[in-house]
Amino acid sequence: MGTKEPLSRILIFGANGHIGGPAAAAIRRDAPAVSLRLVTHQAASAETLRGKFPEAEVVVSNYLDLPGLIEAFDGVDGAFVVTPDFLDEETAMTNIVAAARHHNELRHLVRLVADPIGMTIERVPATLKTSFGGGTAVQHLRAKHILDRSGLPVTYINNAAYFMDNFLTWFADPIQRSRKLVVPRNRRMGFLDPTDTGECAAAILLSESAGHIGQIYHLDNGHDVMRFDEVAELASKTLGEKIEFDGTDEGFEQHCGDAVRAYYGRPDAVEYYLAYFQFDQDNETVWRKSDIVQFLIGRAAKTLERWFAENREAVLGLVPAGR
Ligand SMILES: NC(=O)c1ccc[n+]([C@@H]2O[C@H](COP(=O)([O-])OP(=O)(O)OC[C@H]3O[C@@H](n4cnc5c(N)ncnc54)[C@H](OP(=O)(O)O)[C@@H]3O)[C@@H](O)[C@H]2O)c1
């Protein structure tokens, strides 16, 4: 396996967020000589980002704006790309490829994807391909297709698990108001701390092994693959309060319907997510427990039990979530 000359200037998208932030912090901790250029696409967040990383360069750049991306890629030899749900990945990744090619200095790009292991675009149900212009069920597959064809030196990290901090966002309201975990289509799922995901991105970029380039790593925490009714039991035990499980579609409508429709600004948002959860259930057999995160970052990934214990008050709504 060949070696990769160490990177000297790394561009990190989403650096104000729960994955890009830990990636930037890990690079600062493990390779302080590496220059960081940190991106937010929200001008209003730039000051906060500067406050978190005073020694880094902070830029405002948007995946959908090519001239700004060309400026962002100027002089960088490494990059981490994480995208939000429902982004137009075809435009975004076409722009990323053009911006990187414009300078021709990029030697390693790590891209977060999020698909059931082995999923292909052909196997995604038609409704999920078209609703909302395509969402998380297809966007990463579309992005990967563009990056694969570009010839750029890419490593994919496939978050083969739900983010643990969904319990502070997506799942939070019914837990905090009614002590209920409301997740329709009960199914097996893996769970991973997004800090561990960010640390994996950093470790791959800082690695001097060229063997990472061209790989796709399916990230899991090596410990937690369980159904959501089992998650409710674990939460009850660890949080010290009974958390009931409600896996019905009616419960989802009752507890989350208005919030989901308001968040996405779409009257059909609940139907989209029920179809997405069904897709998750249809593919529940693929999640697994491996040593990949430990291999990449040199320490065991966080378990869901420990995460619940550390975030007990925020999960129960006793203090505001810190995300
Ligand atoms: N929820 C889960 O359990 C789960 C599990 C596995 C994988 N995933 C996937 O993980 C990915 C990340 O999810 P997330 O919840 O972390 O997403 P997110 O916070 O909504 O977005 C990720 C980052 O993208 C940046 N961003 C947003 N729009 C941008 C734009 N137009 N141009 C440049 N940067 C932009 C944001 O930073 P700024 O706003 O500061 O720019 C943000 O920090 C998603 O694709 C999701 O499908 C989610």
Side-chain angles (χ1 to χ4, degrees):
M1 189 182 301
T3 54
K4 182 186 88 187
E5 199 186 312
L7 302 174
S8 60
R9 174 173 281 188
I10 297 179
L11 180 68
I12 300 196
F13 288 89
N16 213 17
H18 63 156
I19 303 170
I27 293 172
R28 184 179 55 179
R29 179 193 67 209
D30 296 339
V34 171
S35 303
L36 286 172
R37 180 176 291 159
L38 306 180
V39 186
T40 173
H41 84 298
Q42 306 179 60
S45 301
E47 225 23 68
T48 309
L49 191 50
R50 277 191 200 99
K52 289 183 191 169
F53 297 95
E55 69 295 338
E57 184 186 357
V58 169
V59 298
V60 176
S61 183
N62 191 319
Y63 291 128
L64 305 178
D65 170 51
L66 179 57
L69 278 185
I70 289 176
E71 279 181 37
F73 273 85
D74 187 10
V76 302
D77 49 15
F80 173 57
V81 173
V82 52
T83 57
D85 283 338
F86 299 104
L87 182 74
D88 170 0
E89 296 270 8
E90 276 167 25
T91 305
M93 291 308 108
T94 303
N95 285 344
I96 288 279
V97 172
R101 280 204 186 125
H102 182 88
H103 302 290
N104 206 20
E105 292 168 294
L106 193 74
R107 292 192 289 109
H108 200 169
L109 183 148
V110 172
R111 156 79 205 214
L112 184 99
V113 293
D115 297 301
I117 295 163
M119 186 49 56
T120 61
I121 204 125
E122 293 75 23
R123 291 175 53 218
V124 176
T127 51
L128 290 175
K129 279 187 196 154
T130 49
S131 307
F132 291 30
T136 183
V138 284
Q139 70 182 80
H140 299 283
L141 296 166
R142 288 178 179 156
K144 185 169 182 298
H145 183 63
I146 292 168
L147 292 173
D148 280 347
R149 278 183 312 166
S150 74
L152 289 178
V154 179
T155 304
Y156 300 97
I157 48 174
N158 182 33
N159 209 90
Y162 271 24
F163 295 143
M164 290 181 185
D165 59 5
N166 286 345
F167 293 95
L168 301 176
T169 54
W170 264 96
F171 304 141
D173 223 41
I175 294 177
Q176 295 180 2
R177 286 174 198 267
S178 321
R179 298 294 185 252
K180 278 187 180 174
L181 177 62
V182 178
V183 187
R185 319 295 160 104
N186 195 13
R187 57 196 179 273
R188 288 173 88 239
M189 182 49 68
F191 297 88
L192 188 60
D193 182 352
T195 297
D196 288 340
T197 305
E199 295 219 354
C200 285
I204 293 166
L205 286 165
L206 294 181
S207 169
E208 292 178 26
S209 165
H212 292 307
I213 293 171
Q215 304 293 355
I216 177 162
Y217 297 123
H218 303 290
L219 304 184
D220 61 72
N221 80 341
H223 190 271
D224 298 305
V225 176
M226 59 185 112
R227 291 189 318 268
F228 281 96
D229 60 333
E230 296 171 314
V231 172
E233 278 176 34
L234 176 70
S236 304
K237 191 182 92 184
T238 316
L239 301 174
E241 289 205 29
K242 176 72 186 159
I243 307 292
E244 273 177 48
F245 176 68
D246 182 343
T248 64
D249 293 6
E250 295 73 25
F252 187 60
E253 171 56 45
Q254 183 195 336
H255 290 279
C256 311
D258 289 342
V260 169
R261 279 185 289 271
Y263 184 78
Y264 290 102
R266 307 265 316 210
D268 55 348
V270 166
E271 289 70 28
Y272 174 86
Y273 271 100
L274 288 176
Y276 186 79
F277 296 149
Q278 184 61 48
F279 175 64
D280 264 354
Q281 193 185 51
D282 291 342
N283 292 286
E284 68 173 353
T285 51
V286 302
W287 311 115
R288 61 199 193 188
K289 308 174 200 179
S290 78
D291 66 353
I292 184 66
V293 171
Q294 176 147 15
F295 169 71
L296 290 170
I297 66 178
R299 63 163 174 80
K302 190 167 285 184
T303 63
L304 186 55
E305 181 171 11
R306 190 169 144 216
W307 187 92
F308 275 140
E310 288 176 0
N311 293 278
R312 177 183 177 278
E313 295 200 319
V315 173
L316 293 175
L318 309 176
V319 297
R323 183 177 166 184

